[in-house]
Amino acid sequence: MSVRVRFAPSPTGYLHIGGARTALFNWLYARRTGGKFVLRIEDTDTARNTQEAMDAIIGGLHWLGLDWDEGPVTGDATGASRGDRGPYFQSQRKADYEQRVEALLFRDLAYEHEGAIKFRMTREPVKIPDLICGDVVRELTDREAEDPDFVIVRSDGQPVFHLVNVVDDLDMGITHVIRGEDHLSNTSKHIALFNAFGVEPPKFAHIPLILTQDGKKMSKRFEGSSIQYYQENGYAPEAVTNYISLLGWTHPEQKDVFLAKEIAEIFDLPQIHRANAKFDHDKLKWLNFEHIKSMGDDRYYELSTHALSDSGVDTKSHPIDYVKAALDTVREKIKTFTEVPNFSAFYFHDVSEYDEKAMGKSFIPENVEPIEKLKSALQSLSSFDPLAIESVLKSTASELGMKPGKLIHPTRLACTGSTVGPSLYHLMEVLGREKVIARLSAAQERMKKE
């Protein structure tokens, strides 16, 4: 039997990190087994559904690279970026739910109660075979013992989660339900419904919760609880999928850095830990740094130029080779792509503002003459490369009886406007002799005014 799994979010808020991990584990299992990954939007709660939430979910999945395998043909924006298929929507399946409810009523497995419809729940303990948690026996609580039956259609005619979830899984042939452990309490009801419909329930795998570092449940108020946070704060999707895969799972070779396609070759449900996972933002940032260093050049340039564009820096008016050379100088410096503009914006526009504190130390009248001598020395270089630039700067400082740092600091400030950034000699090479001389001259004018 071919594996069929699903991710079924509700469009009532952003894509939570826990939801993203659920989607990832389903996607990984489908890819490892050669099965199908189905996306289903549980949008029956019309009062709380929003288009913004829908866009956040779909956009977040695309960003993470979690493509789904089937869905109804669609021509709308939701499906456009995916191809020709969108997700399934529960709001479009009302007739299917009504048909299933009628069948339950006909067989007296459900009944009307105060305008609603309730399902006749079994009075016996329900055994839940779980691929992660092991066998779990769910017995009725004292309160449920008095009336274990539960509503499947509200008095307003809206089917509830328990019914639509089971009917969808049944109709879509879902073989494995991989979801958060917080749903384990619902599973006895779902198994009872599957039995009532005369079908074998899918296999269940309830994954552990994600907690904060202090052991609390990660709420929506926790910074970094949404995938949108990482989209907006310069994280590589590869690093985020890498990290969330480690929230409850460990690579068999104890690796920390890898790509999703690598995990998909080895991932299996029994490997998932039983204990809750703790979210470590520092480790995620470290992983992001590692992925930036190791990713292919084209991917690095793509994410870097997007970050520059988002910050208002135009790279399109510059030669591609120049842009790439500039970005190469900051690759070992940044931990997130939002840092790219801070380290490289000076390559793409003239420097008109300088670090004020540094100006007080470096842009002083006494440095006008040393900068003039440096300009002359740079002009005479036959090759404007890092080694030659470093050599001439240090020899100029020696001639002036200065320590190299006394010349390096005003030169860096003149070229970049900042005291930190890429290697000075490499950034000067990228800027080119003409720009460097022009910026040193502009800095001299500022020195004269101090």
Side-chain angles (χ1 to χ4, degrees):
M1 178 175 62
S2 179
V3 166
R4 290 176 60 81
V5 296
R6 48 70 167 179
F7 176 53
S10 299
T12 56
Y14 56 71
L15 179 59
H16 190 276
I17 197 80
R21 184 191 58 169
T22 297
L24 174 63
F25 281 6
N26 276 277
W27 183 88
L28 288 170
Y29 192 61
R31 295 293 171 266
R32 208 273 296 172
T33 59
K36 299 293 184 182
F37 174 55
V38 177
L39 176 62
R40 186 175 76 219
I41 305 297
E42 299 192 339
D43 61 340
T44 55
D45 190 348
T46 55
R48 297 178 60 214
N49 296 338
T50 68
Q51 186 60 47
E52 181 181 9
M54 177 72 70
D55 293 341
I57 292 169
I58 300 297
L61 293 175
H62 283 314
W63 185 75
L64 291 166
L66 304 182
D67 54 323
W68 55 95
D69 298 309
E70 67 176 52
V73 176
T74 177
D76 61 20
T78 300
S81 59
R82 163 67 175 84
D84 61 348
R85 293 191 179 275
Y88 292 106
F89 291 91
Q90 285 185 337
S91 58
Q92 298 172 2
R93 291 177 41 77
K94 189 174 182 180
D96 298 280
Y97 307 137
E98 291 175 346
Q99 185 177 17
R100 293 289 184 177
V101 171
E102 286 297 323
L104 292 175
L105 289 169
F106 181 78
R107 297 169 56 204
D108 198 32
L109 295 175
Y111 58 94
E112 294 187 22
H113 177 75
E114 298 180 354
I117 298 176
K118 297 183 75 172
F119 174 73
R120 294 188 188 279
M121 180 62 179
T122 177
R123 271 60 178 165
E124 300 299 321
V126 176
K127 180 181 178 181
I128 306 169
D130 193 281
L131 296 173
I132 298 171
C133 301
D135 289 345
V136 177
V137 177
R138 175 77 162 82
E139 300 196 34
L140 297 177
T141 65
D142 292 340
R143 181 178 178 182
E144 290 172 335
E146 298 177 13
D147 181 17
D149 301 343
F150 58 93
V151 173
I152 55 174
V153 180
R154 294 193 294 262
S155 58
D156 62 1
Q158 286 294 325
V160 304
F161 163 76
H162 302 300
L163 175 74
V164 297
N165 190 274
V166 168
V167 171
D168 286 344
D169 286 345
L170 190 162
D171 288 349
M172 296 176 187
I174 301 303
T175 62
H176 294 72
V177 173
I178 307 168
R179 59 188 179 187
E181 190 176 321
D182 49 335
H183 283 291
L184 185 57
S185 60
N186 299 322
T187 306
S188 60
K189 296 177 180 178
H190 297 178
I191 289 176
L193 279 166
F194 277 113
N195 292 336
F197 289 127
V199 296
E200 183 178 346
K203 297 183 185 300
F204 291 96
H206 289 90
I207 58 183
L209 300 178
I210 300 176
L211 308 177
T212 61
Q213 280 290 82
D214 56 3
K216 296 179 181 178
K217 186 175 180 180
M218 186 184 288
S219 70
K220 293 182 178 181
R221 294 184 298 275
F222 178 79
E223 184 179 55
S225 63
S226 79
I227 290 300
Q228 189 172 353
Y229 172 87
Y230 304 100
Q231 291 175 272
E232 296 173 350
N233 284 276
Y235 287 81
E238 299 93 319
V240 177
T241 54
N242 183 167
Y243 181 66
I244 61 178
S245 72
L246 293 171
L247 294 174
W249 178 84
T250 301
H251 194 288
E253 298 177 11
Q254 304 299 311
K255 291 182 179 179
D256 279 327
V257 185
F258 40 76
L259 297 173
K261 63 181 181 181
E262 298 176 58
I263 317 172
E265 298 175 358
I266 56 175
F267 180 86
D268 204 359
L269 297 175
Q271 298 169 348
I272 297 174
H273 306 319
R274 182 71 183 86
N276 292 329
K278 288 189 177 182
F279 191 89
D280 185 344
H281 209 141
D282 289 338
K283 183 168 184 177
L284 172 54
K285 185 165 281 192
W286 173 80
L287 278 173
N288 199 60
F289 181 54
E290 294 299 313
H291 276 274
I292 289 173
K293 290 192 297 182
S294 63
M295 67 176 49
D297 289 344
D298 288 344
R299 178 62 169 162
Y300 168 71
Y301 298 141
E302 174 192 2
L303 295 178
S304 294
T305 53
H306 284 170
L308 285 165
S309 178
D310 289 343
S311 71
V313 175
D314 175 28
T315 59
K316 295 180 181 178
S317 59
H318 299 271
I320 292 177
D321 288 344
Y322 175 80
V323 175
K324 290 181 176 179
L327 293 174
D328 285 341
T329 66
V330 305
R331 187 164 184 161
E332 296 289 330
K333 298 287 184 178
I334 61 170
K335 289 185 171 59
T336 65
F337 283 97
T338 49
E339 296 175 353
V340 171
N342 293 334
F343 282 101
S344 67
F346 67 86
Y347 284 116
F348 307 106
H349 58 67
D350 292 336
V351 177
S352 58
E353 296 183 359
Y354 305 91
D355 181 282
E356 291 188 10
K357 186 176 180 180
M359 281 180 65
K361 295 180 179 179
S362 296
F363 281 11
I364 53 179
E366 297 91 280
N367 279 339
V368 172
E369 183 59 26
I371 292 297
E372 187 63 31
K373 288 189 177 296
L374 177 61
K375 284 164 54 180
S376 298
L378 292 172
Q379 288 281 26
S380 66
L381 284 176
S382 59
S383 177
F384 203 72
D385 61 72
L387 287 176
I389 295 169
E390 179 180 11
S391 177
V392 80
L393 186 146
K394 289 182 177 179
S395 64
T396 300
S398 179
E399 290 174 16
L400 294 167
M402 305 169 62
K403 291 184 177 179
K406 291 290 186 179
L407 197 51
I408 288 172
H409 296 315
T411 301
R412 175 182 289 281
L413 189 61
C415 289
T416 70
S418 176
T419 59
V420 295
S423 161
L424 175 61
Y425 311 116
H426 288 85
L427 74 84
M428 290 173 71
E429 177 192 35
V430 174
L431 282 172
R433 192 192 321 254
E434 184 178 340
K435 283 184 180 178
V436 168
I437 298 299
R439 293 186 183 188
L440 289 173
S441 296
Q444 283 179 299
E445 295 304 312
R446 295 296 290 265
M447 293 174 188
K448 294 174 183 176
K449 296 177 182 179
E450 294 300 318

